[in-house]
PDB file of all heavy atoms in Angstrom:
ATOM      1  N   GLY A 280     -18.648  12.149  -0.318  1.00 98.00           N
ATOM      2  CA  GLY A 280     -18.575  12.686   1.028  1.00 98.00           C
ATOM      3  C   GLY A 280     -18.025  11.641   1.978  1.00 98.00           C
ATOM      4  O   GLY A 280     -17.746  10.499   1.601  1.00 98.00           O
ATOM      5  N   ASP A 281     -17.856  12.018   3.224  1.00 98.00           N
ATOM      6  CA  ASP A 281     -17.310  11.121   4.234  1.00 98.00           C
ATOM      7  C   ASP A 281     -18.417  10.463   5.042  1.00 98.00           C
ATOM      8  O   ASP A 281     -19.487  11.054   5.257  1.00 98.00           O
ATOM      9  CB  ASP A 281     -16.399  11.887   5.196  1.00 98.00           C
ATOM     10  CG  ASP A 281     -14.991  12.057   4.648  1.00 98.00           C
ATOM     11  OD1 ASP A 281     -14.711  11.568   3.533  1.00 98.00           O
ATOM     12  OD2 ASP A 281     -14.161  12.683   5.337  1.00 98.00           O
ATOM     13  N   PHE A 282     -18.163   9.250   5.520  1.00 98.00           N
ATOM     14  CA  PHE A 282     -19.113   8.595   6.413  1.00 98.00           C
ATOM     15  C   PHE A 282     -18.363   7.648   7.334  1.00 98.00           C
ATOM     16  O   PHE A 282     -17.447   6.935   6.924  1.00 98.00           O
ATOM     17  CB  PHE A 282     -20.210   7.857   5.642  1.00 98.00           C
ATOM     18  CG  PHE A 282     -19.715   6.860   4.624  1.00 98.00           C
ATOM     19  CD1 PHE A 282     -19.667   5.505   4.918  1.00 98.00           C
ATOM     20  CD2 PHE A 282     -19.301   7.282   3.371  1.00 98.00           C
ATOM     21  CE1 PHE A 282     -19.219   4.586   3.988  1.00 98.00           C
ATOM     22  CE2 PHE A 282     -18.841   6.369   2.425  1.00 98.00           C
ATOM     23  CZ  PHE A 282     -18.803   5.018   2.732  1.00 98.00           C
ATOM     24  N   ILE A 283     -18.736   7.719   8.601  1.00 98.00           N
ATOM     25  CA  ILE A 283     -18.265   6.754   9.586  1.00 98.00           C
ATOM     26  C   ILE A 283     -19.221   5.569   9.558  1.00 98.00           C
ATOM     27  O   ILE A 283     -20.438   5.749   9.472  1.00 98.00           O
ATOM     28  CB  ILE A 283     -18.247   7.381  10.989  1.00 98.00           C
ATOM     29  CG1 ILE A 283     -17.209   8.504  11.064  1.00 98.00           C
ATOM     30  CG2 ILE A 283     -17.960   6.335  12.057  1.00 98.00           C
ATOM     31  CD1 ILE A 283     -17.249   9.271  12.375  1.00 98.00           C
ATOM     32  N   GLY A 284     -18.679   4.369   9.625  1.00 98.00           N
ATOM     33  CA  GLY A 284     -19.525   3.179   9.689  1.00 98.00           C
ATOM     34  C   GLY A 284     -19.307   2.461  10.997  1.00 98.00           C
ATOM     35  O   GLY A 284     -18.168   2.129  11.352  1.00 98.00           O
ATOM     36  N   ILE A 285     -20.379   2.258  11.759  1.00 98.00           N
ATOM     37  CA  ILE A 285     -20.286   1.495  13.001  1.00 98.00           C
ATOM     38  C   ILE A 285     -21.275   0.344  12.968  1.00 98.00           C
ATOM     39  O   ILE A 285     -22.311   0.404  12.308  1.00 98.00           O
ATOM     40  CB  ILE A 285     -20.515   2.368  14.269  1.00 98.00           C
ATOM     41  CG1 ILE A 285     -21.912   2.990  14.267  1.00 98.00           C
ATOM     42  CG2 ILE A 285     -19.434   3.433  14.387  1.00 98.00           C
ATOM     43  CD1 ILE A 285     -22.262   3.709  15.582  1.00 98.00           C
ATOM     44  N   GLY A 286     -20.939  -0.729  13.683  1.00 98.00           N
ATOM     45  CA  GLY A 286     -21.768  -1.928  13.678  1.00 98.00           C
ATOM     46  C   GLY A 286     -21.075  -3.037  12.904  1.00 98.00           C
ATOM     47  O   GLY A 286     -20.123  -2.805  12.147  1.00 98.00           O
ATOM     48  N   ALA A 287     -21.558  -4.252  13.071  1.00 97.00           N
ATOM     49  CA  ALA A 287     -20.937  -5.424  12.459  1.00 97.00           C
ATOM     50  C   ALA A 287     -20.922  -5.312  10.939  1.00 97.00           C
ATOM     51  O   ALA A 287     -21.970  -5.173  10.307  1.00 97.00           O
ATOM     52  CB  ALA A 287     -21.677  -6.686  12.888  1.00 97.00           C
ATOM     53  N   GLY A 288     -19.740  -5.350  10.352  1.00 96.00           N
ATOM     54  CA  GLY A 288     -19.600  -5.315   8.899  1.00 96.00           C
ATOM     55  C   GLY A 288     -19.748  -3.952   8.267  1.00 96.00           C
ATOM     56  O   GLY A 288     -19.704  -3.839   7.030  1.00 96.00           O
ATOM     57  N   ALA A 289     -19.917  -2.883   9.048  1.00 97.00           N
ATOM     58  CA  ALA A 289     -20.117  -1.547   8.479  1.00 97.00           C
ATOM     59  C   ALA A 289     -18.847  -1.053   7.785  1.00 97.00           C
ATOM     60  O   ALA A 289     -17.731  -1.319   8.233  1.00 97.00           O
ATOM     61  CB  ALA A 289     -20.532  -0.566   9.573  1.00 97.00           C
ATOM     62  N   HIS A 290     -19.046  -0.315   6.693  1.00 97.00           N
ATOM     63  CA  HIS A 290     -17.934   0.285   5.955  1.00 97.00           C
ATOM     64  C   HIS A 290     -17.934   1.796   6.185  1.00 97.00           C
ATOM     65  O   HIS A 290     -18.984   2.391   6.424  1.00 97.00           O
ATOM     66  CB  HIS A 290     -18.049  -0.016   4.461  1.00 97.00           C
ATOM     67  CG  HIS A 290     -17.687  -1.427   4.109  1.00 97.00           C
ATOM     68  ND1 HIS A 290     -16.649  -1.745   3.258  1.00 97.00           N
ATOM     69  CD2 HIS A 290     -18.210  -2.613   4.511  1.00 97.00           C
ATOM     70  CE1 HIS A 290     -16.548  -3.056   3.141  1.00 97.00           C
ATOM     71  NE2 HIS A 290     -17.504  -3.604   3.885  1.00 97.00           N
ATOM     72  N   GLY A 291     -16.775   2.401   6.075  1.00 98.00           N
ATOM     73  CA  GLY A 291     -16.657   3.845   6.209  1.00 98.00           C
ATOM     74  C   GLY A 291     -15.670   4.398   5.191  1.00 98.00           C
ATOM     75  O   GLY A 291     -14.889   3.655   4.577  1.00 98.00           O
ATOM     76  N   LYS A 292     -15.704   5.698   4.999  1.00 98.00           N
ATOM     77  CA  LYS A 292     -14.755   6.399   4.135  1.00 98.00           C
ATOM     78  C   LYS A 292     -14.470   7.739   4.789  1.00 98.00           C
ATOM     79  O   LYS A 292     -15.385   8.537   5.021  1.00 98.00           O
ATOM     80  CB  LYS A 292     -15.322   6.569   2.729  1.00 98.00           C
ATOM     81  CG  LYS A 292     -14.454   7.392   1.772  1.00 98.00           C
ATOM     82  CD  LYS A 292     -15.085   8.728   1.502  1.00 98.00           C
ATOM     83  CE  LYS A 292     -14.140   9.627   0.720  1.00 98.00           C
ATOM     84  NZ  LYS A 292     -14.718  10.970   0.530  1.00 98.00           N
ATOM     85  N   LEU A 293     -13.206   7.984   5.134  1.00 97.00           N
ATOM     86  CA  LEU A 293     -12.856   9.169   5.914  1.00 97.00           C
ATOM     87  C   LEU A 293     -11.685   9.914   5.282  1.00 97.00           C
ATOM     88  O   LEU A 293     -10.651   9.310   4.952  1.00 97.00           O
ATOM     89  CB  LEU A 293     -12.519   8.771   7.354  1.00 97.00           C
ATOM     90  CG  LEU A 293     -13.710   8.206   8.150  1.00 97.00           C
ATOM     91  CD1 LEU A 293     -13.244   7.516   9.417  1.00 97.00           C
ATOM     92  CD2 LEU A 293     -14.694   9.325   8.479  1.00 97.00           C
ATOM     93  N   SER A 294     -11.864  11.219   5.109  1.00 97.00           N
ATOM     94  CA  SER A 294     -10.825  12.087   4.549  1.00 97.00           C
ATOM     95  C   SER A 294     -10.083  12.792   5.677  1.00 97.00           C
ATOM     96  O   SER A 294     -10.677  13.139   6.701  1.00 97.00           O
ATOM     97  CB  SER A 294     -11.451  13.134   3.623  1.00 97.00           C
ATOM     98  OG  SER A 294     -12.197  12.527   2.599  1.00 97.00           O
ATOM     99  N   HIS A 295      -8.812  13.031   5.459  1.00 96.00           N
ATOM    100  CA  HIS A 295      -7.976  13.715   6.436  1.00 96.00           C
ATOM    101  C   HIS A 295      -7.400  14.977   5.807  1.00 96.00           C
ATOM    102  O   HIS A 295      -7.180  15.025   4.587  1.00 96.00           O
ATOM    103  CB  HIS A 295      -6.863  12.784   6.916  1.00 96.00           C
ATOM    104  CG  HIS A 295      -7.371  11.541   7.579  1.00 96.00           C
ATOM    105  ND1 HIS A 295      -7.514  11.428   8.945  1.00 96.00           N
ATOM    106  CD2 HIS A 295      -7.804  10.360   7.065  1.00 96.00           C
ATOM    107  CE1 HIS A 295      -7.992  10.230   9.240  1.00 96.00           C
ATOM    108  NE2 HIS A 295      -8.183   9.566   8.114  1.00 96.00           N
TER     109      HIS A 295
END
Side-chain angles (χ1 to χ4, degrees):
D281 277 359
F282 54 99
I283 294 173
I285 61 172
H290 285 241
K292 175 251 172 184
L293 294 166
S294 303
H295 299 265

